[in-house]
Structure formats: structure tokens, C-alpha cells
Amino acid sequence: MADNDRAITKIEAQGVLGEFSYVVEYPTTSGPDRMRLIYAPNGRGKTNFLRAVSAALTPTPESLASLVEIPFASLRLDFANGGRIVINRDSNTVGPFTASASAGINGEEFSVTVDPAELGGRMYRRVWENRADFYNYSQAVGELSPGAIFIGDDRLVPVLSDENVDGVRNEGNPYTTSRRRRGSVSTLLEAVERMLTQEALAALSNESEQTGIYAQITRTTLEGSDAILASEARAALEEQIGALLDLGKPLERYGLLSMRQVRVISDQISVARANARNLPAVHTILRPYLDSLHDQITALSPAQELIDTFVTSVNHFLDRKELQFTASRGIRLVGRDGNNLHPESLSSGERHLLLLLSQAVLATGERRLVIVDEPELSLGIEWQRDLLPEMLQCSAPGNVQFLVASHSLQVMNAIELDSIVRPGEPK
């Protein structure tokens, strides 16, 4: 399924807390309009709505159990490919419900009926995983979405292990990574470091598979020197090398590529005589290498841009300290004295900030919906104003969608008015 097909186009909930309704719509095209913010006074069910959406996108027995306790009458999520997830209760706003999902406009619909009595006991997870109706339903949901990242007001509380209630690890379950939402800031930064490093390694691997530089050098050398003058060969080399040095600077900043050898070559050419008769031969030999280097830079540029966006966004907020990244040393937090800082030694606001921006950049690889309850926690006024735009910037490569609930006028002022959603109330 194409990534755009997984985009959510509409979320609608009725009877939240038995009274309130929420309708959240997203544009069908990808772009910067990926943020929706819910504003309402306390007691209007914002957190319950967010929790229900997150659980609906995470078809595990634990999520079904949590939906039993969340007070709402119905919930529906529509996707760009025509697929949908629908959860309905016949009566009341808690307790039994029926959940159904279809993976596309012409996809078969699979349903599962959930009774709280079937979710008790130590072994209920194993029982549910062997049920055919639950398996088909969870597969349909999985085709629609890889899940949601829920970032609640307990986000700085470390999570336990990724073990289920039976003590069995769920390494094969794609939804266990949603537990990352409560991980420590250190754990999240390690995950970001791995992601950024893997992005760079994957780019280099793909480029190297397509480039046979030594074969090209062998072929061009055997074919002989170009039929050009020494002065022309020199000018062509200087132009190509100059362009490469400019293109390579951003990558060198993060240790993704070394241009040292190119600088040495540049220095050697600069001291050679203008009419040195070997310059055409040098041009013939070097051209495949320089072309290959250009291909490497092109391949690494998306990874470099992602790294630069994350580093720049974090450092936009930090004062008297900075976040650094290099391919060899990974992510480091450095104080103004040059000493390394442990992430858990930062202030509450700084840790909240790092956690939110880390989750935003991690979501680019998973292309999830990121749900944030009260992003303004522990943040000063200026940080509140700049937070959502920076989260959008960090997540731009993956067109990540956001669903946010906030009481902060500063947070709301950072986005367009038509991106703010208010609950419907009973007349």
C-alpha cells in the first residue's frame, strides 16, 4: 500500500463522556497541513478521545481492553484509500463494543465483538491471538496503519519492558514500538541516533550497489586520454572539484562523508603547470571518481537533511548547551564548557522538548499518526509558540500527521485557525 493511502482523512467520535462529539478532518493531499489541534475546556473528553483514537489504531488485546473503559458511543477513522475502522456500542458509553475494519474501498470488512468478560485472566492475550475474527480484524487494521504514537502527560515516566501480561515478548508485533511513548529521553535519543545512522548507511549501500567506480576507471584509462587541451582539462577538473567541495560541506559537518582527499587533489592541480601535458590523462582517470562522489553526495543528501533538521530544531530551543551529531560518535549533548551532558540531567522543559522532537523525527520512518496530549507541559511561552512548527519541520520527510490537544493560546497561535477543532456539545 502506498504511503499516501495510509493517510487519515477523517476521525469522528460521538458520545465522548456520553455528551460530546469530535470531527477531525485532514486534507487528502500530503503537505504542511498535517496538524490538527483540539481546544476545549476541561471536562470535555479530549484525553479520552485521543486515547480512543490511539487504541483503535493499535489492534492488540491490551488496546481492546483499554477501549472497554474509554467512554464513547462510536468512533470512525477514514483513510485516503477508502478504508475505515469503525467502533460502535449498542448502549452505554463503556463496556462491550463491536469493531470492524476494511483495508480499502473494495476491501472485505472484518469485525470482532469485544465483551469485557472475555478480557479477564492472565492468559486472555493468548486466547485472543488464536481467535480467527480478531486475527482478520487486526490484519485489516495493520494494512491501513502502522499504529499511532501516543504522547500523554505521563511522557517522562519510563516504561517497563516490551513484555505482555503473560511475560512473553512481542518482538514480532509491529505495535509494541508504540510503548516507546513513555521511554526515557535517553532511550529516545538512542533510537533517533540509530535511525539517522541507518538512513545514512542505507543511502551509501544503495549508491555503492549502483556504482562500479573501479570498472569505470579501468575502462576510461584503457580508452586513453580525452581529446582536450591541458588547459581545458584543468578548468573542467577545477569546476567539478569546486562544486563537489561546496556540496560536500553539509555532509562533512555530520561526518557522513570526508572531502579530505578531494582537497588534496585540488591542491595538487592548483600547483601544476597550466599546460602540464598529463592533465588530460588525470582528467580521464579522476572523472569516474568525481562522478561517483557526486552520486554519493546525492544519495546521502536526504539523510543529511533529516539530521540537519533535527539538530537545528533542537538547538533552536536549547540555551547554553547544544545537541551534536556525527556518524562516528552519534548524538551528544554538550554544555558550554564542552563537557558531555546526560539527557536525564536536563530540566523538565528540556526533556519534554527533546522527547517531542525525537518522536516527531522517529515517526518519519514509521509514517504514523502522532497524538500529543498537552504539548505545552513544562515549556516556557516562547517554546510553546515554536514547538508545533518545529515538530512539523522534523517530520516533513514522512508526511506525518498530528492530532494534538492543548489549553495553551501560545500553542494554538502557531497554527492556522482552520486547523483548530472544538468539540460538539449537546444542545
Side-chain angles (χ1 to χ4, degrees), residues 40-54:
N42 289 324
R44 298 300 192 273
K46 298 186 300 299
T47 298
N48 283 298
F49 172 60
L50 298 183
R51 288 173 55 218
V53 173
S54 176

Side-chain angles (χ1 to χ4, degrees), residues 23 26 36 50 82 133 175 218 223 254 270 364 368 405 407:
V23 178
Y26 294 90
R36 290 294 178 268
L50 298 183
D133 57 348
Y175 299 100
T218 300
E223 290 174 351
Y254 300 113
S270 67
T364 64
R368 295 177 172 230
H407 295 287

Side-chain angles (χ1 to χ4, degrees), residues 157-163 179 182:
V157 179
V159 75
L160 300 177
S161 65
D162 281 333
E163 295 183 356
R179 295 170 64 87
R182 293 187 184 178

Side-chain angles (χ1 to χ4, degrees), residues 83-294:
R84 63 191 176 277
I85 300 170
V86 180
I87 300 174
N88 282 312
R89 286 191 167 96
D90 292 332
S91 60
N92 299 321
T93 56
V94 294
F97 61 87
T98 298
S100 61
S102 62
I105 192 168
N106 296 316
E108 182 178 357
E109 184 172 87
F110 297 97
S111 299
V112 60
T113 299
V114 179
D115 187 327
E118 300 174 320
L119 293 167
R122 180 176 176 80
M123 304 297 289
Y124 81 91
R125 165 178 263 280
R126 292 183 179 179
V127 172
W128 274 84
E129 288 182 339
N130 289 324
R131 286 180 50 166
D133 57 348
F134 171 70
Y135 175 81
N136 291 331
Y137 167 76
S138 62
Q139 290 295 305
V141 174
E143 287 186 44
L144 286 170
S145 170
I149 297 175
F150 183 89
I151 307 173
D153 57 6
D154 60 350
R155 46 186 169 262
L156 291 183
V157 179
V159 75
L160 300 177
S161 65
D162 281 333
E163 295 183 356
N164 65 29
V165 294
D166 299 330
V168 179
R169 293 191 65 83
N170 295 306
E171 295 175 356
N173 189 329
Y175 299 100
T176 55
T177 54
S178 66
R179 295 170 64 87
R180 186 182 64 223
R181 63 184 175 85
R182 293 187 184 178
S184 69
V185 175
S186 300
T187 301
L188 278 170
L189 287 177
E190 289 171 3
V192 173
E193 179 181 304
R194 287 194 299 272
M195 175 188 175
L196 297 179
T197 302
Q198 288 169 1
E199 289 278 335
L201 290 175
L204 281 176
S205 175
N206 291 337
E207 191 280 330
S208 63
E209 290 176 2
Q210 300 170 4
T211 305
I213 179 174
Y214 294 107
Q216 293 180 46
I217 290 175
T218 300
R219 185 182 68 253
T220 55
T221 302
L222 290 173
E223 290 174 351
S225 302
D226 295 336
I228 60 174
L229 299 174
S231 58
E232 294 173 335
R234 181 193 187 106
L237 285 169
E238 288 177 338
E239 180 180 358
Q240 188 173 13
I241 289 172
L244 286 174
L245 289 173
D246 288 338
L247 290 172
K249 283 180 182 178
L251 281 76
E252 278 195 301
R253 185 182 309 136
Y254 300 113
L256 300 176
L257 195 66
S258 173
M259 303 296 291
R260 183 181 59 83
Q261 186 167 241
V262 179
R263 292 191 185 88
V264 172
I265 293 171
S266 178
D267 292 341
Q268 292 174 339
I269 291 174
S270 67
V271 299
R273 298 195 317 274
N275 61 348
R277 58 189 179 89
N278 290 331
L279 279 172
V282 171
H283 179 259
T284 298
I285 294 171
L286 285 181
R287 188 175 60 192
Y289 163 69
L290 298 176
D291 289 344
S292 174
L293 191 58
H294 184 275

